[in-house]
Amino acid sequence: MSNNELKINNHNFRVIKNSDSNLLFHVPSSSLFELDETNESLINRLDNKKIESFSKEEIVELEKLNIVGNEEPFKYTEVKNFPATTLILNIASGCNLSCTYCYKADLETLSNSGNMTFETATQAIEHLYEGAPGQKLYNVTFFGGEPLSNFELIKDVTIYATKFFKEKDAQVDFTITTNATLLTKEIISFLKSYQFGITISMDGPKAIHNKTRLTNSGSGSYDMVRKKVELLLSMYDKNRPIGARVTLTRGITQVEEIWDHLFNDLNFSEVGFAPATASDNAIFNLSEKELVDVFEGFKKMGEAYIDSACKGEFNGFSNLHRIVGDIHAGRKKKLPCGAGVGLLSVSYEGDFDLCHRFTGSDFPNFGNVKTGLDKPKLSNFIEKRLNTNDGDCSTCHIRNLCAGGCYHESYIKYNDPSKAVLHYCDIMRDWIDFGLYTYSKIRNDNPEFFDKYFNEEKGDTNGLI
């Protein structure tokens, strides 16, 4: 670069094009600016780096945005406090299904299930509060295996936690992820009385669902799950939406067909999709082409999401809804999720894991409910992820919305969750660009959508997520 050339920081801005007007995505602040004719001309002139092409005032403004000029020096980020307000209780390792792609390393049949005790659960709740006292709202999530196989514990812990947090002048919200097969009218009535948020693991229409979601005897579980879902939806409070979580595996990429069945036929409020997490040689991994096909399907669903949003409606496609919410909140993520900092995950034996995906795996835990959270060990892990410039995420324009991807996927892929997920960066950049386009389109055509569907965001944790 010669002395009469500007230093252009291309990774700090992105022009988002839509049919109405182009916008500038300012990466450091996660902000979108409408580009008028003058400003668009200014950005276009950046291709010509010659200083004499810009006025002094223009250069000052570009430097303020760090679009040109030297960047701030790297600062090491320390993490010593872990004020988590969400607790994931993995209350049973047993499950009555044998889904072919299940990632749970400690999965057992119901007869061999390891079940959490009431003492372990209450100790975990006390640890949660001690780590983040004085908050207005806490969340307790029940996970498994199949958590409803330990329903008596769910009842006891729910009653205990409600009383515990009420005495602390706080509220507690309960959520559960279940395969639905053990639901009864009694269980649904209890969940409804405590306003549980419920996510059902279901993979689509019968022919698709039954390929992978099998009972322990090897038969498809669709008919049983559908029957219980219909019972649940008929009894549950409409103000507490019930969502479906779909796992996409090799040969299953029919995003639109699956969404249509779960949203329109079964009336789930939300449908979210996730590729199976597996090692490189696992037979149920999506191939590279299938992964591309899935995200193309996401874009088609995204166009439908935009059409609905412009009419003031939500079409239930939660993958895009979450990204739009992050953009709306102006998130500047330094970590991909709250694992370890915003949430604590506890195994049925009482160990603190990075998140529920690591429960039962051979990745070391971070203490247990008897000895307490191993803060120095957790601090070392989080700081390594924060301060390692792995894969050059620092020059990626989606870095503040992606933050390097899921810890568990990195662990499966590289045997190191502190590394960034790098094997589908191009797809993620394209997908988040689509999210930015979506946000700008809705912002332009129906800005009231955001007031209607996005509640006030909870504060982030240490400014990290």
Side-chain angles (χ1 to χ4, degrees):
M1 187 176 69
S2 65
N3 290 334
N4 65 342
E5 286 186 359
L6 287 172
K7 180 181 182 296
I8 311 297
N9 301 319
N10 289 300
H11 52 279
N12 280 347
F13 68 99
R14 182 85 167 175
V15 175
I16 308 300
K17 299 182 182 297
N18 67 32
S19 57
D20 302 305
S21 62
N22 293 335
L23 293 102
L24 179 75
F25 177 54
H26 183 239
V27 177
S29 64
S30 289
S31 300
L32 275 170
F33 300 96
E34 189 168 342
L35 284 174
D36 59 21
E37 191 174 331
T38 302
N39 287 328
E40 187 156 1
S41 171
L42 174 64
I43 295 299
N44 289 337
R45 274 186 283 139
L46 291 172
D47 291 335
N48 178 1
K49 301 178 182 179
K50 302 298 182 185
I51 290 177
E52 58 266 27
S53 300
F54 300 87
S55 68
K56 287 184 180 179
E57 291 77 14
E58 288 174 334
I59 292 175
V60 168
E61 289 303 312
L62 290 169
E63 285 177 336
K64 284 181 181 176
L65 294 170
N66 206 209
I67 289 176
V68 303
N70 295 323
E71 299 206 64
E72 293 185 3
F74 172 78
K75 293 180 181 177
Y76 189 91
T77 302
E78 290 188 338
V79 181
K80 304 302 179 190
N81 298 312
F82 305 93
T85 55
T86 294
L87 180 69
I88 300 177
L89 296 176
N90 297 274
I91 62 173
S93 65
C95 186
N96 58 334
L97 297 186
S98 297
C99 302
T100 55
Y101 53 75
C102 185
Y103 61 81
K104 296 290 285 185
D106 63 343
L107 191 71
E108 294 282 359
T109 61
L110 290 186
S111 59
N112 294 317
S113 178
N115 287 343
M116 182 177 283
T117 64
F118 180 73
E119 181 183 17
T120 297
T122 55
Q123 286 177 323
I125 289 170
E126 289 164 5
H127 272 290
L128 179 75
Y129 185 79
E130 289 170 3
Q135 303 297 311
K136 293 181 180 178
L137 178 65
Y138 298 82
N139 178 268
V140 175
T141 295
F142 296 96
F143 210 85
E146 173 43 50
L148 289 180
S149 67
N150 198 2
F151 179 61
E152 290 304 313
L153 182 73
I154 292 176
K155 285 201 299 186
D156 293 343
V157 171
T158 300
I159 294 169
Y160 170 85
T162 301
K163 181 174 183 293
F164 176 88
F165 286 108
K166 185 176 181 180
E167 290 173 352
K168 309 296 184 187
D169 197 25
Q171 291 185 316
V172 57
D173 188 52
F174 299 102
T175 53
I176 186 170
T177 298
T178 171
N179 63 31
T181 56
L182 300 179
L183 284 170
T184 64
K185 288 184 178 179
E186 175 197 0
I187 290 175
I188 295 170
S189 295
F190 179 84
L191 300 177
K192 181 180 176 182
S193 66
Y194 284 91
Q195 286 290 290
F196 268 63
I198 302 176
T199 299
I200 304 296
S201 300
M202 191 171 187
D203 286 352
K206 185 173 183 176
I208 294 175
H209 179 97
N210 280 349
K211 284 184 177 179
T212 52
R213 296 193 66 82
L214 309 176
T215 66
N216 290 341
S217 63
S219 58
S221 62
Y222 176 87
D223 290 339
M224 178 169 43
V225 172
R226 175 167 184 161
K227 181 179 177 182
K228 295 300 179 70
V229 165
E230 289 174 341
L231 175 66
L232 172 67
L233 292 171
S234 70
M235 292 178 61
Y236 220 66
D237 189 340
K238 303 299 181 186
N239 293 324
R240 187 68 178 184
I242 294 174
R245 184 192 187 280
V246 178
T247 301
L248 298 170
T249 55
R250 181 159 295 187
I252 299 178
T253 59
Q254 306 94 317
V255 173
E256 289 178 277
E257 179 184 352
I258 293 169
W259 168 84
D260 182 58
H261 179 68
L262 297 177
F263 187 73
N264 289 321
D265 295 342
L266 298 192
N267 295 318
F268 279 106
S269 297
E270 295 185 19
V271 181
F273 298 84
T277 299
S279 61
D280 278 346
N281 60 0
I283 59 173
F284 40 83
N285 271 10
L286 294 171
S287 67
E288 289 186 16
K289 181 182 182 307
E290 286 176 324
L291 201 55
V292 171
D293 290 344
V294 163
F295 279 89
E296 287 304 313
F298 279 9
K299 286 184 180 178
K300 291 180 181 176
M301 285 300 311
E303 293 292 350
Y305 175 94
I306 293 170
D307 289 343
S308 295
C310 290
K311 297 173 185 173
E313 300 169 355
F314 172 44
N315 79 345
F317 182 39
S318 62
N319 295 69
L320 184 57
H321 199 61
R322 284 196 298 272
I323 291 176
V324 169
D326 284 345
I327 297 168
H328 182 61
R331 287 200 180 281
K332 298 180 281 294
K333 295 180 180 178
K334 295 180 180 177
L335 293 171
C337 68
V341 293
L343 67 85
L344 299 176
S345 180
V346 180
S347 73
Y348 75 87
E349 295 171 303
D351 294 327
F352 289 116
D353 296 307
L354 192 56
C355 77
H356 57 287
R357 287 187 157 200
F358 286 91
T359 296
S361 76
D362 54 4
F363 186 70
N365 59 56
F366 296 91
N368 60 62
V369 296
K370 292 181 179 178
T371 60
L373 185 67
D374 190 338
K375 292 183 178 180
K377 187 176 180 181
L378 185 55
S379 176
N380 286 338
F381 172 80
I382 297 295
E383 289 183 10
K384 182 180 179 184
R385 178 65 180 252
L386 274 171
N387 297 296
T388 301
N389 189 16
D390 183 23
D392 214 10
C393 285
S394 62
T395 59
C396 177
H397 76 273
I398 68 168
R399 59 188 182 274
N400 287 339
L401 295 172
C402 166
C406 172
Y407 297 122
H408 191 257
E409 287 190 33
S410 295
Y411 183 58
I412 294 298
K413 184 75 177 178
Y414 310 114
N415 199 34
D416 183 358
S418 69
K419 295 175 69 67
V421 180
L422 301 175
H423 56 288
Y424 57 91
C425 287
D426 288 340
I427 292 176
M428 283 306 299
R429 278 189 280 268
D430 188 47
W431 176 233
I432 289 183
D433 279 352
F434 184 83
L436 291 165
Y437 157 77
T438 298
Y439 183 82
S440 67
K441 183 72 175 172
I442 299 171
R443 180 93 263 172
N444 185 70
D445 292 353
N446 185 22
E448 291 81 11
F449 176 78
F450 299 102
D451 296 331
K452 185 175 181 180
Y453 289 100
F454 293 99
N455 296 325
E456 183 180 351
E457 295 280 342
K458 289 196 297 184
D460 57 2
T461 303
N462 292 341
L464 301 176
I465 56 177

